[in-house]
Structures are given as C-alpha cells and as structure tokens.
Amino acid sequence: MRITSLGKCLAIACAITSADAAFAPIMPAAHAASLYAIPKYAAILVNSDTGEVLYARQADAVRFPASITKVMTLYVAFQELRDGNIRDSDLIRISTFASRQPPSKLGLRPGEKISVREAMAIIATKSANDIAVALAEYISGSEEAFADRMTREARRLGMSRTRFVNATGLPNPDHVTTARDIATLSRAVIREFPRRYALFSQVAVEYEGRQIDNHNHLLKTVPGVDGIKTGYTVAAGFTLAASAAHDGVRLIAVVLGGPSRLTRDTNVTELLDTGCNVLSRRARP
C-alpha cells in the first residue's frame, strides 16, 4: 500500500550485496536533471526506526536549514519540559528584541505574554520567529545562549556539521546544517518525545480567536504524513523535513535547497512514496 496515489514515483534499483539489502532509489532522468542542476539541492530518505539510508543526494553537503531550525528549538523546549525546568502553563513575556524579528511572526507587542504550550504550537505551525526567540529567551536568558545550547545538543546527537546561531533559521552565514544531520535530529525528536511529536502534525491551531494554518501542506495532501517542518529563505531555498508511517515503519525525508515549494513538496512526496515501495518489496517472500 502506497502513501500516495501519485502515478509518478522514483525508480528503484535494488542490489543485494550481503545478508542486508542495499536499496538505491534513483530519480527518472528528466526529474534528476531538473533537481541535480540546482546547486543548493540536497536530500536524504531514512528509516526512522533503524537509521538505514534509502536514498541520499549531497546529504553531507553544508546547507542553510531556514525554519527547519525550529525543530531543534522545540527539541530543547521538550527537554526542559521533561526535566521540569519549565511547564506548559508558564507565561512567556515578549521582549522588544523578540517583537522586532522579521516575518513569519505572530506579532505580539513587547510586554505581552503567551504560554509555553501556545508558543510551541505557534512555532510548529506558523513558524513564528518572534515566538521562537521569546521561547529561547525564556529558557536560556538570551537567544545567543539558547543557540549555543542548540549546537551542543546537535553535537551530542551526532550532528557533526551543524551549527546554530539563532533559534529561528533566519539568514546567517554561520547557521548551517546538512540533510543527514536534520534526519538525525528528526529521528531524535520522534524517538525521545513521541507524545510531543504530535505537535508537528497539527494542520491548524487556534489562537485568540483566529485560525493559524500549518505551513506544511503535505499534512493535508499526503495520507500518512504527520510532520515535521518546512522552511524558506532566499539563501536556503525551500526546505522540508517530513515523516510518514507505513505498515508500522516510519520514514523521514529531508530536502534542502528546493527551487520552489511545489518542487520541494513533490520531491519529498516521491521520496516517501518510493520508500514505501521499497519496504513493501522487501517484505514480500
């Protein structure tokens, strides 16, 4: 059973070299040319449960993550909640610095407050930069100190080529990662915080009487997808870390440097679709 009904999917080349099967998904020539010609493009598809890589293209090349950064922002917040250092009901005061962050933003004024629970939901859906900074300040005292914490967590997880300098993913030449590192982070969130992970699956949330839609359109268009995070800046291109469950196995696809939202979303969908086909073929006697 496939995740999607798309007629177009990635071709699969399967080679069994040992007791384990090595699968190398390869894109059709036309599609490959269109994406491989994009210098920023990088991608990876992994089995979330085992870490097996089903597809990789420039997976270790340094790229800008844009708002996928906020997966780490929330991962640190989840740790603080788990350890009892903060509570969902705690109120976060918006600082002047936080309020001055560029869009996407919620637009709260300095001195206004928002709960930790609401802040996390807004970050996961609207990708609000002002709220991400306010949460960082609440946890670590400053965004700079929080970014240092993010980088330390990245190193602990094995994200060897990642460095965070802010909590948002806003452009900075030193704020970098790789597709493989983002997959590692995504696996950690799912593994360590399965209940909190549901935050990324919300199609929309309500705040102060208004509906805030999730930027991840695959939540509504691709059955099985339940996260994780989109991103975009001019420097980064269109980025997306997505996850979907299939017959008890979870896949994670990461695409960085997409030339458009549609191309990015289509590529991620095809990767997940192909991953499901690979797993289905593997399961056959």
Side-chain angles (χ1 to χ4, degrees):
M1 179 178 179
R2 302 170 61 185
I3 286 181
T4 76
S5 59
L6 290 176
K8 180 177 69 173
C9 69
L10 308 182
I12 303 170
C14 301
I16 301 177
T17 58
S18 64
D20 296 325
F23 292 88
I26 301 174
M27 294 185 202
H31 197 179
S34 66
L35 280 173
Y36 291 175
I38 306 299
K40 298 175 184 177
Y41 176 73
I44 195 167
L45 175 70
V46 302
N47 182 324
S48 180
D49 302 317
T50 66
E52 179 186 10
V53 176
L54 299 172
Y55 172 82
R57 172 71 179 178
Q58 301 276 41
D60 296 307
V62 172
R63 297 287 186 264
F64 300 123
S67 283
I68 292 181
T69 294
K70 296 183 179 82
V71 178
M72 179 60 87
T73 303
L74 291 172
Y75 177 76
V76 172
F78 296 165
Q79 290 179 319
E80 292 292 292
L81 287 161
R82 177 196 62 198
D83 296 342
N85 297 324
I86 63 175
R87 298 173 299 178
D88 287 277
S89 58
D90 287 353
L91 294 179
I92 301 169
R93 183 183 180 278
I94 305 299
S95 69
T96 299
F97 177 70
S99 72
R100 289 177 176 172
Q101 298 301 305
S104 176
K105 61 195 298 182
L106 185 60
L108 297 187
R109 296 185 297 273
E112 290 191 289
K113 295 180 180 180
I114 185 172
S115 72
V116 168
R117 180 184 294 105
E118 292 170 324
M120 294 191 302
I122 296 298
I123 292 168
T125 53
K126 187 175 177 61
S127 197
N129 294 322
D130 52 349
I131 305 304
V133 170
L135 180 62
E137 292 174 333
Y138 183 72
I139 291 172
S140 295
S142 70
E143 184 184 27
E144 181 180 5
F146 187 83
D148 288 342
R149 164 82 177 273
M150 294 167 71
T151 300
R152 291 196 303 273
E153 292 299 332
R155 292 292 177 273
R156 182 183 62 81
L157 291 172
M159 300 167 64
S160 61
R161 308 201 72 183
T162 294
R163 183 186 177 194
F164 296 111
V165 298
N166 59 51
T168 60
L170 287 168
N172 186 298
D174 295 324
H175 190 99
V176 294
T177 191
T178 68
R180 192 183 306 275
D181 281 0
I182 292 298
T184 296
L185 171 60
S186 300
R187 291 184 67 209
V189 172
I190 293 166
R191 179 179 64 250
E192 297 178 31
F193 301 102
R195 292 184 180 179
R196 295 284 182 182
Y197 173 72
L199 194 70
F200 296 103
S201 69
Q202 298 177 101
V203 173
V205 297
E206 287 191 9
Y207 177 76
E208 298 293 322
R210 52 177 161 148
Q211 178 174 301
I212 296 175
D213 294 327
N214 198 314
H215 291 174
N216 185 358
H217 297 278
L218 298 190
L219 293 172
K220 295 185 289 186
T221 61
V222 182
V225 170
D226 57 10
I228 305 173
K229 190 74 185 69
T230 64
Y232 170 76
T233 64
V234 172
F238 290 84
T239 66
L240 174 59
S243 184
H246 171 77
D247 289 344
V249 178
R250 178 171 291 281
L251 298 173
I252 293 171
V254 178
V255 167
L256 305 178
S260 69
R261 182 182 71 80
L262 180 59
T263 300
R264 174 200 67 189
D265 289 358
T266 299
N267 187 209
V268 167
T269 300
E270 291 173 342
L271 287 171
L272 292 171
D273 189 33
T274 297
C276 286
N277 285 332
V278 168
L279 296 176
S280 294
R281 293 185 184 191
R282 179 183 290 179
R284 293 172 188 165

